[in-house]
Amino acid sequence: ASMDDDDKKELSANDPRRLHTYPLIKHSDMPEEMRTEAMELCVTACEKFAASNEAASKMIKESMDKKFGSSWHVVVGEGYGFEITYETKIYSICFSAEV
């Protein structure tokens, strides 16, 4: 199948079909340095353990606990809900999708 000119156009930044190379930050009150390190860690863990969400979340939690102190909670996967309380300046929700 060939692509016509409309299919070749780059997707705009607001297009939900756009593929992100880093997780999409939905909300965060983390300092910039912590947020950047957390994003990079999430990408690395999910690439390394693509077949195991449990192993990816364990790697992220252990790394964040070691670097920024204990009590991090990490969820990796699809189709889940949550309700949390959190300490200010250490909260982030991000999404990553394969298209």
Side-chain angles (χ1 to χ4, degrees):
S2 64
M3 296 175 65
D4 61 22
D5 288 337
D6 289 336
D7 291 335
K8 292 179 184 177
K9 290 180 183 175
E10 192 171 314
L11 297 175
S12 74
N14 296 329
D15 192 318
R17 297 172 298 164
R18 182 181 175 97
L19 180 64
H20 295 275
T21 55
Y22 281 93
L24 171 65
I25 303 295
K26 183 69 175 173
H27 173 78
S28 179
D29 67 357
M30 291 178 165
E32 182 67 31
E33 182 181 329
M34 182 186 285
R35 182 173 45 249
T36 300
E37 187 154 341
M39 280 193 325
E40 290 172 354
L41 179 58
C42 289
V43 170
T44 300
C46 290
E47 286 176 349
K48 183 174 182 177
F49 298 107
S52 175
N53 292 340
E54 185 177 344
S57 62
K58 183 177 181 181
M59 177 183 168
I60 296 165
K61 179 186 175 17
E62 289 175 351
S63 297
M64 294 296 285
D65 282 350
K66 185 175 181 180
K67 175 86 181 199
F68 300 109
S70 63
S71 296
W72 286 91
H73 301 278
V74 178
V75 178
V76 175
E78 298 179 26
Y80 56 86
F82 61 91
E83 182 174 329
I84 61 171
T85 58
Y86 65 95
E87 187 175 327
T88 60
K89 304 297 181 199
I90 59 168
Y91 171 70
S92 181
I93 296 178
C94 55
F95 300 93
S96 180
E98 293 181 20
V99 178

